[in-house]
Amino acid sequence: MSGATRTAVNPVVRGFAPDPSVIRVGEWYYLATSSFEWFPTIPLYRSRDLADWEPAGAVDSAAPGRSLLGVPDSGGIWAPALSHSDGVFWVVYSIVRSLGTRHFDLETYLCTAADAGGPWSEPVRLPGHGFDPSLLHHEGRHYLLNLQNDSRVGGRRFDGVVLTELDVPSAGGVPDVGRVQAGPTRLLLQRDELVEGPKITVKDGWFYLLLAEGGTGVEHGVLVARSRSLTGPYEVDDVPLLTSRDDPAVPLQKAGHGELVQAPSGEWYLTHLASRPLQTPAGPRNTLGRETAVQRVVWANGWPRLAQGGWHPATEVEVPDVGERVSAGARRNDRTDAPAGLDVVPAWPWSTLREPPGDWLDTVARPGWVRLRGRMSAESLWQQSLLARRLTEHQAEVEVTVEAEPRTFTQSAGLVLWYNTASYYQLHVTWAEPEGEPQAGQQWAGDRGRRVLVLVHGHPEGARVLATVDLADGPVRIRAQIEGAAARLGSVGSDGLWAQVGPDVDVSELSDDFGPSLRFTGAFAGISVVDLVDGAFTADFSGWVLR
C-alpha cells in the first residue's frame, strides 16, 4: 500500500452490528447493519478511513407504520443492503415475521433518501423470494438480487440466488421508486451448500458475486463466484475469501457475510461480520453478538484475496490515513455514556424494542430524570417499556438510580441485562406480600405489603426468582458488574457500600449460542418498567452509567 497508513482495530463497530453493507460516496464510507426487532431500524454509520466510525442516523421509516410489534425474537429487519445511484441512497431489506418454520413469512422493501441522514422515504414493497436482498445499479439499470426460499414441503430453505430487473421511472431526474415495476426473475446460482447474502461488484469486465456461506454461526464464510455476464453462468472460486471455521483459535470467529468497497486511492476492502467469543464450560459463547470488521483485499489472477494471505480475518488492518477522521467523541461508537441524567430525548445509540419511543417515555416532566410508564412484561413480543444500550466489551459496569413506589406485584421498575424475551436478568423494585406470607394474588393490598428488590432470571425453560431483598423508602442505586461470562447485580446504599443481590449470574446465556432457538442479536443493558393492570404506573431514572 502506498501513502500514509494507520491501523484499524477489529471489530471496527463493536457490539451487536451484524450483516454489514458498505458503500463509498465521495470521501465518506457508509455502513448499514441489521436491526432485527430493535429500533432505531437499520442503524447507519459513516467513516472517512474505515477505521473510525460514527453514527450517521438510521432508516427510521423502514418498518411500515413504525411498528414491529409481534415479530419473534431475532425476527424483524434482516440484512439491509446499501447502494447509491442517480444521486440517491437506496436500501433494500426484508422483514422476517416467522422463525423456525419452512415459511419465513417475509416482506422485502426499498427505501431511498437524498442524504444518508434522511429523511428516508416510506417503504416500497418489492418481490421477496427470500431474505438478504441487495441492489446492483449497472449501466443505468437496476437489479434486485435475492436468496430463493423453496417453502414447499420437502423444499430447500436456501435454494440459490435469483435476479430480478426493476423498472424504476424517473421524475425530474430523480428515481420515482413509488412506481417501481419488477420484471421476470431468473436463477443465477444454486449450490448444495448453504449460501445467502448475495452482493455483486463489477470490476474489469467481471461480475463478482459475493456469497455468505455456511450459515451465520461458526461455519460462516465468504465465497466468491464470477462471470463475464450478469446473468451467468458463474464460476465459483475454489477457496473461500474469508472464514474462521477451520481454526477455533482465530480471535474473530463466525467471520462471513461480506461486501467489497474500493478506496479513493484504489485499494480494495471487505467489510464482514465476526464475533469475539467467551470461552465457557459450555463452549464458546458470543455475548456481544456479531460485530462489524474490515479486511484489506488484493487481486490475484482475477480473484479477490485477503492481503495478509489465507482466509482468516485479521484483528489489525492497515488503512489509508486520510488525516481528518470522525467527530470528536464519536470514535468507534463505543463506551459513550448518556448525557447527565438522561435529560434529552433518547436517540441512537439508545434502543427500544419493536417500536420507537412513544408516550410511555417522558424526558420533560422531571428535569434530570427520564420517566417511563410501565406496560407489558419482559416476555412480551408487544409493548415493552424498555430503553437499552448495546454492550460493546466483555467487561462493563452499569449503574442507574431508580425512584419507584409500586403498590402491587404487577408493577415493577429497574435494571435489565437483556438478550431477548427468553434470556435476561431483571433487577426490579416491586411489591411483595409481608414476609412469611405466600403469594396469594393480593395485588390490591399494597398497604399490607413491602417494597422489595427482586432478581429474576429469564430462561427458555421458564423464569425463576434468584433473590428477594427488602428495600427502604426512597431512590435506590442499582448496579451490574460484568466480568466475562459472570455478572454481579445489586444495589448501592446511602453509605456508598455495594450489596450484591443473589448469586453471580451467567451472562454467557445472553448470547447467540445459548438456548434451543435461532438467535441473531446481542446483549444489552437497560432500564424498564412494567404495569400489567392498567399501564399507568411510572418510575423515574437518573444517573445512568455504562463504562
Side-chain angles (χ1 to χ4, degrees), residues 2 15 18 26 33 42 134 155 166 170 178 192 253 268 289 310 333 385 424 546:
S2 60
T33 67
I42 311 183
S134 67
L166 302 178
S170 178
D192 291 335
Q253 288 290 306
W268 286 83
N333 188 43
S385 297
Y424 61 87
L546 172 59

Side-chain angles (χ1 to χ4, degrees), residues 34-59:
S34 294
S35 49
F36 294 92
E37 68 264 38
W38 289 95
F39 279 72
T41 48
I42 311 183
L44 300 174
Y45 306 84
R46 68 177 188 172
S47 172
R48 294 185 189 272
D49 62 2
L50 295 166
D52 290 324
W53 294 84
E54 65 181 359
V59 185

Side-chain angles (χ1 to χ4, degrees), residues 382-396:
W382 300 87
Q383 296 175 328
Q384 285 204 43
S385 297
L386 183 149
L387 189 63
R389 292 281 300 272
R390 286 159 168 77
L391 295 179
T392 60
E393 303 297 339
H394 291 130
Q395 285 74 41

Side-chain angles (χ1 to χ4, degrees), residues 327-404:
S327 307
R331 302 200 186 282
R332 290 161 60 105
N333 188 43
D334 63 358
R335 316 305 265 182
T336 54
D337 291 332
L342 285 170
D343 55 351
V344 295
V345 175
W348 181 258
W350 285 96
S351 297
T352 56
L353 275 174
R354 295 179 174 83
E355 59 180 343
D359 61 4
W360 52 272
L361 186 150
D362 187 342
T363 59
V364 176
R366 187 178 181 186
W369 296 70
V370 62
R371 176 168 294 169
L372 300 185
R373 176 173 57 81
R375 297 184 300 165
M376 295 182 181
S377 74
E379 296 174 14
S380 173
L381 300 179
W382 300 87
Q383 296 175 328
Q384 285 204 43
S385 297
L386 183 149
L387 189 63
R389 292 281 300 272
R390 286 159 168 77
L391 295 179
T392 60
E393 303 297 339
H394 291 130
Q395 285 74 41
E397 187 170 300
V398 188
E399 289 188 17
V400 70
T401 296
V402 56
E403 190 169 288

Side-chain angles (χ1 to χ4, degrees), residues 151-385:
S151 61
R152 295 172 295 180
V153 175
R156 300 198 313 167
R157 302 178 77 202
F158 300 83
D159 201 27
V161 174
V162 296
L163 180 79
T164 305
E165 184 168 3
L166 302 178
D167 179 11
V168 184
S170 178
V174 177
D176 184 359
V177 297
R179 295 191 295 134
V180 65
Q181 297 289 322
T185 296
R186 61 185 302 162
L187 182 68
L188 288 191
L189 181 74
Q190 276 184 324
R191 286 178 63 80
D192 291 335
E193 297 80 9
L194 187 159
V195 291
E196 52 190 321
K199 306 283 197 315
I200 286 183
T201 297
V202 183
K203 182 182 183 296
D204 299 333
W206 288 96
F207 294 90
Y208 289 92
L209 175 60
L210 268 70
L211 300 164
E213 184 185 30
T216 196
V218 294
E219 297 298 316
H220 209 23
V222 177
L223 186 67
V224 181
R226 69 180 184 179
S227 174
R228 287 291 188 184
S229 168
L230 171 60
T231 56
Y234 279 83
E235 170 194 6
V236 178
D237 198 357
D238 57 4
V239 296
L241 172 58
L242 174 84
T243 188
S244 48
R245 59 177 168 246
D246 59 332
D247 188 351
V250 173
L252 298 177
Q253 288 290 306
K254 300 186 178 181
H257 200 109
E259 186 164 17
L260 292 167
V261 67
Q262 189 175 24
S265 53
E267 289 91 0
W268 286 83
Y269 291 86
L270 175 78
T271 60
H272 65 94
L273 67 80
S275 290
R276 292 175 285 161
L278 288 168
Q279 300 305 322
T280 78
R285 288 181 174 172
N286 296 271
T287 55
L288 305 179
R290 296 165 301 150
E291 308 171 281
T292 291
V294 62
Q295 307 294 326
R296 192 162 75 90
V297 168
V298 295
W299 295 84
N301 300 318
W303 292 100
R305 297 283 184 258
L306 298 184
Q308 67 267 24
W311 44 74
H312 292 163
T315 54
E316 295 188 352
V317 175
E318 293 302 304
V319 297
D321 189 346
V322 298
E324 184 181 3
R325 297 171 189 167
V326 298
S327 307
R331 302 200 186 282
R332 290 161 60 105
N333 188 43
D334 63 358
R335 316 305 265 182
T336 54
D337 291 332
L342 285 170
D343 55 351
V344 295
V345 175
W348 181 258
W350 285 96
S351 297
T352 56
L353 275 174
R354 295 179 174 83
E355 59 180 343
D359 61 4
W360 52 272
L361 186 150
D362 187 342
T363 59
V364 176
R366 187 178 181 186
W369 296 70
V370 62
R371 176 168 294 169
L372 300 185
R373 176 173 57 81
R375 297 184 300 165
M376 295 182 181
S377 74
E379 296 174 14
S380 173
L381 300 179
W382 300 87
Q383 296 175 328
Q384 285 204 43
S385 297

Side-chain angles (χ1 to χ4, degrees), residues 294-522:
V294 62
Q295 307 294 326
R296 192 162 75 90
V297 168
V298 295
W299 295 84
N301 300 318
W303 292 100
R305 297 283 184 258
L306 298 184
Q308 67 267 24
W311 44 74
H312 292 163
T315 54
E316 295 188 352
V317 175
E318 293 302 304
V319 297
D321 189 346
V322 298
E324 184 181 3
R325 297 171 189 167
V326 298
S327 307
R331 302 200 186 282
R332 290 161 60 105
N333 188 43
D334 63 358
R335 316 305 265 182
T336 54
D337 291 332
L342 285 170
D343 55 351
V344 295
V345 175
W348 181 258
W350 285 96
S351 297
T352 56
L353 275 174
R354 295 179 174 83
E355 59 180 343
D359 61 4
W360 52 272
L361 186 150
D362 187 342
T363 59
V364 176
R366 187 178 181 186
W369 296 70
V370 62
R371 176 168 294 169
L372 300 185
R373 176 173 57 81
R375 297 184 300 165
M376 295 182 181
S377 74
E379 296 174 14
S380 173
L381 300 179
W382 300 87
Q383 296 175 328
Q384 285 204 43
S385 297
L386 183 149
L387 189 63
R389 292 281 300 272
R390 286 159 168 77
L391 295 179
T392 60
E393 303 297 339
H394 291 130
Q395 285 74 41
E397 187 170 300
V398 188
E399 289 188 17
V400 70
T401 296
V402 56
E403 190 169 288
E405 297 297 332
R407 309 301 296 172
T408 158
F409 65 81
T410 60
Q411 300 170 345
S412 70
L415 180 70
V416 291
L417 300 180
W418 184 269
Y419 184 87
N420 64 16
T421 61
S423 293
Y424 61 87
Y425 294 99
Q426 175 181 279
L427 186 60
H428 267 207
V429 179
T430 188
W431 175 96
E433 290 85 354
E435 189 171 5
E437 288 192 12
Q439 292 183 185
Q442 309 108 301
Q443 65 265 36
W444 56 85
D447 291 342
R448 292 189 58 254
R450 56 197 171 113
R451 187 170 176 257
V452 293
L453 194 58
V454 177
L455 177 59
V456 175
H457 175 200
H459 191 278
E461 296 178 359
R464 60 191 181 111
V465 173
L466 299 182
T468 301
V469 298
D470 287 349
L471 280 180
D473 293 337
V476 57
R477 185 86 176 152
I478 301 176
R479 177 188 294 175
Q481 293 179 312
I482 302 170
E483 291 288 340
R488 300 173 178 86
L489 294 94
S491 62
V492 182
S494 57
D495 57 3
L497 297 179
W498 156 262
Q500 184 169 339
V501 175
D504 289 5
V505 300
D506 183 2
V507 180
S508 77
E509 292 187 7
L510 310 183
S511 74
D512 294 354
D513 315 285
F514 175 77
S517 61
L518 296 171
R519 296 154 69 107
F520 302 129
T521 56

